[in-house]
Amino acid sequence: MTGKLTEKGHTKVRIKLWAYKSCDVVNASLNVIETVHKAGYSPAKEHTITLPNQKRIYCILRSPHVDKDSREHFEIRRHSRFVEIYYNLEEYPNILDSLMNLDLRPGVSSIIFVDPNLE
């Protein structure tokens, strides 16, 4: 998914956030958007894209010796989101630094992708 802007020199920053609790991911995405606004920039485009949850199910035998049909199921869900921000790098060079120094809650992981020179 590539976004085209009418102005040259815009940079797309995509931040991927994921955690095991959905409320942590929502709060982290709001924290990212708030950080961009605190840096003094109101972006032309900003999106929050919810990605599908990854669900992993583990099946464990209750008793290893008898009754092999008796099992317990456990699952781990990983919630993830993208936050996309389009901005002009020459006008606001400190936004990327403020995103790199962003303090997220424990349990939330993030990766920052930068795609320069959208034309």
Side-chain angles (χ1 to χ4, degrees):
M1 184 169 110
T2 59
K4 303 278 184 180
L5 291 177
T6 56
E7 299 178 36
K8 290 186 179 181
H10 275 79
T11 302
K12 177 173 77 171
V13 176
R14 180 179 275 186
I15 303 158
K16 183 176 183 182
L17 304 165
W18 70 89
Y20 294 110
K21 291 183 178 179
S22 62
C23 60
D24 289 345
V25 175
V26 171
N27 290 336
S29 63
L30 292 175
N31 193 4
V32 167
I33 293 171
E34 181 181 323
T35 302
V36 170
H37 288 290
K38 279 184 183 177
Y41 181 60
S42 178
K45 282 187 173 181
E46 73 183 31
H47 302 286
T48 303
I49 302 167
T50 305
L51 299 173
N53 297 338
Q54 295 175 348
K55 182 168 71 169
R56 188 155 187 189
I57 299 175
Y58 296 97
C59 181
I60 298 175
L61 293 174
R62 287 187 185 173
S63 172
H65 305 294
V66 197
D67 198 12
K68 298 284 184 185
D69 295 333
S70 177
R71 299 169 188 248
E72 288 187 74
H73 296 278
F74 300 98
E75 70 179 25
I76 296 176
R77 291 180 184 244
R78 189 173 130 180
H79 304 273
S80 54
R81 283 188 178 209
F82 272 133
V83 178
E84 286 187 345
I85 301 165
Y86 296 90
Y87 73 99
N88 193 343
L89 184 60
E90 289 136 10
E91 291 180 19
Y92 302 97
N94 61 350
I95 290 179
L96 199 55
D97 294 333
S98 63
L99 289 175
M100 295 292 258
N101 297 329
L102 189 64
D103 187 28
L104 297 174
R105 293 184 65 174
V108 178
S109 300
S110 65
I111 297 178
I112 299 177
F113 302 102
V114 179
D115 185 19
N117 299 328
L118 287 178
E119 296 179 9

